[in-house]
Amino acid sequence: MTQQNSILPQTKQRAGARAILAFLVGHWRRHPGLIALTGAWVLASTLAEILVPVYAGRLVAAVAGSGADRAAAYDAAMGAFLAMVALGAVMVVGRHFSFTTITRFTLQVMSDITEEAFARVQRFSADWHANTFAGSTVRKISRGMWALDLLDDTILISLIPSVVALVGSALLLGFHWPVMGLVVSLGAAVFIALTVVLSLNYVAPRARLSNSWDTRVGGVLADAVSCNAVVKSFGAEDREEARLSRVLGKWSARTRRTWLAGTTAGTAQLVALLGLRAAIIGMVVLLWWRGEAGAGDVAYVITTYFVVHSYLRDIGMHVHNVQASVNELEELVALHGEPIAVADPPGAVALEVREGQIAFEHVTFHYKGHAEPLYRDFSLTIDGGERVGLVGPSGSGKTTFVKLIQRLHDVTGGRVAVDGQDVRAVSQASLRQAIAVVQQEPILFHRSLAENIAYARPNASMAEIERAAELANAAGFIARLPRGYGTLVGERGVKLSGGERQRVALARAFLANAPILILDEATSSLDSESEALIQEAMERLMVGRTTLVIAHRLSTVRALDRLLVFSHGEVVEEGDHDTLVRLEGGLYRRLFERQALELARGLAA
């Protein structure tokens, strides 16, 4: 059951048609000039095409009825011919400039929606990112971006001109023969209605499901590729390929249904067009038989029919493209509709750090989906410049403590304050710029070492970057690399060892020079030499900063000013190492003795 559930589409949240329309119009309004210019060129080209059959009919009438006055017939034929050539030139010029204008417009809108979607995703909560496939998110954005390209082209360049051409042709025919205009109008209306009904009620639901599985394919691919080291370590290539094969099987079945539905809808549209062709040509033959239409009129009607047929056939494709584009935009628009769980309040001000004091004031915090709150009426103060260790078993509340300081979550009750300022009242950017974090598993960008170190301060000089690396004891191993600070570190820093990644993260923290420092298990899982280098760098980094150190290895917190021992969301013991280790039956003493015993056994072995 678990295996089956793991390949279900990740989310069913989608935007409705009204939300998608509002999203589209909102972006169009930003470029009214480009839309007006595109529309003008499209309209000129379309009107020219509508008028071509009129002059084609006049040309045939002049040739067929030349009689004795061939000179007059020649003049009439040449006039019609030149008009057709001029109209053709207008069509070519209009088409060319409409496409050059919409190219500029569409590229701008595609850039806008991609930047905005990326900015929004960046600001979603840590929980959102923890529960969402990165590959699926990328797929939603990229697929929506290209869907907008198709939607813009379809509506502005194709669908609106098609409607104009059909209405214009029906009016021109109706001016000569009202019944013919009625036949064309009713036939076009029935065809468009059939196309819309088939698209929305028959093809769209299937396309929506296949898009869900397309998103899932991206998620599974990214998940396996990003965790390739784990795949290799367990020799699990075949297992991952089988997992992808199951997802592709679902995707293939859903996509096949979508494509076959599109084929069936297309066939129904062709049948409707065949009926319209028979009605129009049959009607003009009847008019000719009754003497109400001549050879030129017949040529005019047949030529107009070919224009109408072409546009109607294209309308079927355009409606399908609009439906497909809307389906593919649903997930992207839904991203814009998702609330940002942790957002800056209106008028948020920048945090001003004077001493770096941190205070939890009657804090209650409840994780969504948990029956009981982790913290209940929790109060604690850490003085500016104090070095504090957070100790306790897994799940006791240490990591949540520092996340609340960073405002990665919002408290349920009470407040967390830095120098008396509620972290919810200040901008998140200013808050996090005041806090340097060195994580247990440092994540590096697939960029150069210099860029990774300078991520804390992008305008830092090369000398400042090198100085930060020296303080972090990273300069030595960087100097041994062939390209030095220009070395690309690989995705998430995979080209470096754990100790090297940790020292780069420390260099980043040195360069940030933030007044508050959080060290999250910064020496765990390292060899003794790397640990010694990192411990030495950490000692330098902590000087003059309010420092919080999360540690399971208690040897790393012995020299700190104060230790907070957490258990089930409460601080059950508090004091320095010497005080806590003497507490009879204390949790810290028990943890310390267990680690000392494990170390002794390891040395004996």
Side-chain angles (χ1 to χ4, degrees), residues 88-109:
V90 172
M91 289 167 55
V92 170
V93 172
R95 183 182 183 281
H96 173 78
F97 284 107
S98 64
F99 272 95
T100 56
T101 307
I102 200 172
T103 295
R104 179 181 168 192
F105 165 69
T106 300
L107 287 173
Q108 184 60 59
V109 175

Side-chain angles (χ1 to χ4, degrees), residues 15-17 20 147 151 321-331:
I20 293 172
L151 191 59
N321 286 342
V322 168
Q323 165 260 310
S325 300
V326 167
N327 285 154
E328 293 182 352
L329 273 167
E330 286 174 332
E331 292 180 322

Side-chain angles (χ1 to χ4, degrees), residues 223-284:
D223 195 37
V225 171
S226 62
C227 296
N228 182 257
V230 179
V231 174
K232 287 187 182 303
S233 66
F234 287 95
E237 288 87 350
D238 290 343
R239 194 190 319 159
E240 291 302 318
E241 288 164 13
R243 177 183 173 81
L244 176 62
S245 180
R246 289 195 300 274
V247 177
L248 284 174
K250 294 283 189 180
W251 167 82
S252 177
R254 270 53 175 186
T255 303
R256 179 175 178 272
R257 287 176 58 196
T258 302
W259 290 355
L260 289 178
T263 300
T264 302
T267 301
Q269 292 162 8
L270 289 176
V271 171
L273 282 177
L274 181 60
L276 181 60
R277 179 194 303 176
I280 292 176
I281 295 178
M283 180 61 68
V284 76

Side-chain angles (χ1 to χ4, degrees), residues 322-501:
V322 168
Q323 165 260 310
S325 300
V326 167
N327 285 154
E328 293 182 352
L329 273 167
E330 286 174 332
E331 292 180 322
L332 174 62
V333 176
L335 283 178
H336 285 268
E338 278 199 40
I340 297 177
V342 180
D344 284 345
V349 298
L351 176 71
E352 295 182 7
V353 181
R354 299 175 296 276
E355 299 176 359
Q357 183 197 67
I358 299 169
F360 279 59
E361 300 173 0
H362 305 286
V363 166
T364 297
F365 177 70
H366 200 153
Y367 274 113
K368 185 178 179 180
H370 287 221
E372 295 292 329
L374 177 60
Y375 293 132
R376 190 192 300 273
D377 196 28
F378 178 87
S379 295
L380 180 76
T381 299
I382 296 172
D383 293 331
E386 189 177 11
R387 302 177 306 162
V388 177
L390 310 181
V391 180
S394 297
S396 59
K398 306 184 301 297
T399 300
T400 302
F401 184 85
V402 298
K403 285 184 175 180
L404 291 177
I405 296 171
Q406 297 171 265
R407 206 187 164 211
L408 296 176
H409 303 293
D410 270 335
V411 298
T412 310
R415 74 169 193 160
V416 177
V418 175
D419 283 339
Q421 302 159 84
D422 192 329
V423 296
R424 293 170 299 185
V426 300
S427 68
Q428 293 176 70
S430 67
L431 171 66
R432 291 166 191 165
Q433 286 166 5
I435 303 172
V437 182
V438 180
Q439 298 166 323
Q440 180 178 359
E441 293 291 338
I443 298 174
L444 305 183
F445 294 95
H446 184 26
R447 303 171 192 173
S448 70
L449 278 164
E451 288 176 288
N452 272 286
I453 294 171
Y455 201 77
R457 187 149 54 89
N459 59 351
S461 67
M462 196 63 213
E464 291 172 320
I465 293 171
E466 291 173 354
R467 176 58 179 162
E470 290 173 4
L471 291 171
N473 288 335
F477 86 81
I478 293 175
R480 293 192 294 271
L481 296 172
R483 298 186 59 187
Y485 287 88
T487 301
L488 296 176
V489 302
E491 188 174 6
R492 301 173 70 89
V494 295
K495 291 185 179 181
L496 304 181
S497 70
E500 290 168 343
R501 286 198 299 272

Side-chain angles (χ1 to χ4, degrees), residues 183 186 267 297 434 573:
V183 168
L186 288 177
T267 301
D297 294 326
E573 296 171 15

Side-chain angles (χ1 to χ4, degrees), residues 1 94 210 255 424 431 452 510 516 561:
M1 181 63 72
S210 66
T255 303
R424 293 170 299 185
L431 171 66
N452 272 286
F510 271 110
I516 299 172
D561 303 325

